[in-house]
Amino acid sequence: MKKTVLSVTLAASVLALGACSGGDKETVVTSKAGDISVADFNETAKTLTGSFVIQQMVSEKLLADKYEVTDKEIQEAYDNMATQFGDNFDQVLQQSGLTEESFKETLRFQLLQEKALKDKAIKEEDVKKYYEQMKTELNGRHILVADEKTANEVIAKIKGGAAFADVAKEYSTDTGSAEKGGELGWFSVGTMVDEFNDAAYALELNTLSEPVKTSFGYHIIEITDKRDVKDVGSYKEEKDNISSQMLAKLTNTGEDKQILKDIVANLAKDADVKTSDKDFKAAIEDLSTTSEELAKKAEEEAKKAEEKAAKESKEEKDNAEDTEKESK
């Protein structure tokens, strides 16, 4: 959580550079080495951070037009941060160049982003599935291998009579569990990666899974025991907490950034966001472009570059052949 706070305070500090009040000729800093006017400051701030600031300001307006964040929610978030930092909180704000009010404004933007993510990226059916799974803990074991062919070989050996533990010690690349015969112990929903989690919860007791592909490789899973989890509240009571856990996972993996970009890009298209300032045109264009459109654009540019390189190579070859003919 503290990492999130520090990143938010950094964003707020940059945003604070957006503009300096006063007349253009008014001096904000004087020194024997030279003075700095409001105009000087604003021009430098615009050059250094202008694109970031304008994108954040537009994003906040777009999100605030669709989602509502109350003063109560901001205060609760502020109090939570203050509690986590304890006596150092005022120092953190001061070092980041923030006041209580300016930090609350950054929290407003963060809460708007969270609401947009929960609305667009977290589906009701996924929350309900998570809730049903959290009622049960699983005890299981697995064997991790590099490819599907090896995974099928492992399954064939076990079904042919080989002991799971022996095969795990021989084949599994998960050294931590391999030494224990593939044993994972008790685990609950959200502990494992999604593909593993869903496959494990779908298994009947003492039944081998088909090869389950994850970013780590291919797993053969067996669930050996199940037990009920005590003190699970009603769906209504648990829903918000589950959504927050899912949101935290998106943030930890970095998926939230791409999702938010697409949310804001689509809102910008709907709102017909434009700018008359040539210095901000690229920033607004980027803000209004989805990740899919960016990928397509990059693909087209790569194709053009490849075609250009092929054309230049052909021209060089043709020129070389002409030169050789002339020399003869």
Side-chain angles (χ1 to χ4, degrees):
M1 182 62 109
K2 289 187 178 183
K3 181 180 178 182
T4 302
V5 178
L6 293 176
S7 64
V8 170
T9 57
L10 175 62
S13 299
V14 175
L15 185 58
L17 292 175
C20 185
S21 60
D24 285 352
K25 294 182 180 180
E26 184 178 335
T27 302
V28 290
V29 175
T30 60
S31 76
K32 292 180 180 178
D35 299 341
I36 298 175
S37 69
V38 170
D40 293 334
F41 175 86
N42 287 342
E43 183 60 32
T44 301
K46 181 180 179 182
T47 301
L48 293 176
T49 66
S51 294
F52 172 86
V53 173
I54 201 69
Q55 285 187 339
Q56 181 160 321
M57 291 177 71
V58 173
S59 296
E60 184 167 1
K61 282 188 177 295
L62 292 169
L63 292 170
D65 187 54
K66 186 171 180 61
Y67 303 99
E68 180 184 4
V69 172
T70 65
D71 291 340
K72 181 181 178 182
E73 289 172 320
I74 295 171
Q75 188 61 51
E76 286 176 353
Y78 181 89
D79 292 342
N80 182 45
M81 301 298 189
T83 299
Q84 292 207 31
F85 277 94
D87 295 337
N88 296 323
F89 189 53
D90 288 340
Q91 184 179 354
V92 169
L93 292 182
Q94 186 177 13
Q95 288 175 346
S96 300
L98 297 168
T99 64
E100 177 179 335
E101 290 306 311
S102 61
F103 182 59
K104 283 183 177 180
E105 282 304 308
T106 68
L107 286 176
R108 181 188 298 277
F109 183 48
Q110 183 185 29
L111 290 171
L112 283 168
Q113 290 177 311
E114 289 179 2
K115 290 199 173 189
L117 280 169
K118 286 182 178 180
D119 179 37
K120 297 296 185 181
I122 299 175
K123 299 177 181 178
E124 181 80 13
E125 58 263 35
D126 291 334
V127 177
K128 287 181 178 178
K129 182 175 76 172
Y130 191 106
Y131 173 71
E132 291 303 319
Q133 290 178 346
M134 72 184 288
K135 296 177 182 179
T136 307
E137 282 185 324
L138 307 178
N139 196 326
R141 51 190 181 178
H142 84 136
I143 298 170
L144 176 63
V145 295
D147 55 75
E148 190 172 9
K149 180 181 178 182
T150 308
N152 286 320
E153 183 180 327
V154 165
I155 292 172
K157 276 203 169 190
I158 296 172
K159 287 185 176 181
F164 190 104
D166 292 340
V167 179
K169 290 175 183 178
E170 180 183 355
Y171 280 87
S172 187
T173 58
D174 179 4
T175 54
S177 67
E179 295 174 0
K180 298 179 288 186
E183 294 292 338
L184 296 167
W186 289 98
F187 61 92
S188 55
V189 60
T191 306
M192 307 297 184
V193 293
D194 290 344
E195 301 91 343
F196 188 106
N197 178 88
D198 290 344
Y201 271 93
L203 276 175
E204 297 292 333
L205 283 177
N206 303 311
T207 302
L208 284 181
S209 72
E210 293 299 316
V212 177
K213 185 179 179 181
T214 73
S215 58
F216 299 101
Y218 287 81
H219 307 255
I220 298 90
I221 309 166
E222 184 180 20
I223 301 303
T224 55
D225 201 1
K226 298 181 181 183
R227 66 186 180 192
D228 293 336
V229 177
K230 297 179 180 179
D231 302 323
V232 176
S234 66
Y235 177 71
K236 184 177 180 181
E237 292 169 332
E238 299 287 354
K239 181 180 178 180
D240 287 344
N241 183 44
I242 294 171
S243 295
S244 295
Q245 289 182 55
M246 289 181 166
L247 179 60
K249 188 172 183 179
L250 289 175
T251 302
N252 290 336
T253 60
E255 293 176 74
D256 61 321
K257 294 180 177 60
Q258 180 177 317
I259 297 170
L260 274 171
K261 172 163 182 56
D262 290 344
I263 291 172
V264 171
N266 286 318
L267 288 174
K269 291 177 191 296
D270 292 341
D272 194 24
V273 176
K274 295 177 182 177
T275 179
S276 58
D277 191 321
K278 61 181 178 62
D279 293 332
F280 290 145
K281 283 189 176 180
I284 295 301
E285 182 180 346
D286 177 70
L287 185 75
S288 306
T289 306
T290 66
S291 57
E292 183 179 350
E293 290 168 337
L294 282 175
K296 185 177 180 181
K297 183 178 179 181
E299 185 179 338
E300 290 173 350
E301 289 177 351
K303 186 177 179 181
K304 287 180 181 178
E306 187 179 336
E307 290 173 349
K308 181 181 178 182
K311 182 180 179 181
E312 290 175 348
S313 177
K314 185 178 183 303
E315 288 175 350
E316 287 179 5
K317 183 180 179 181
D318 291 344
N319 290 335
E321 290 176 351
D322 292 342
T323 302
E324 186 178 352
K325 287 178 182 179
E326 291 174 1
S327 65
K328 291 180 179 179

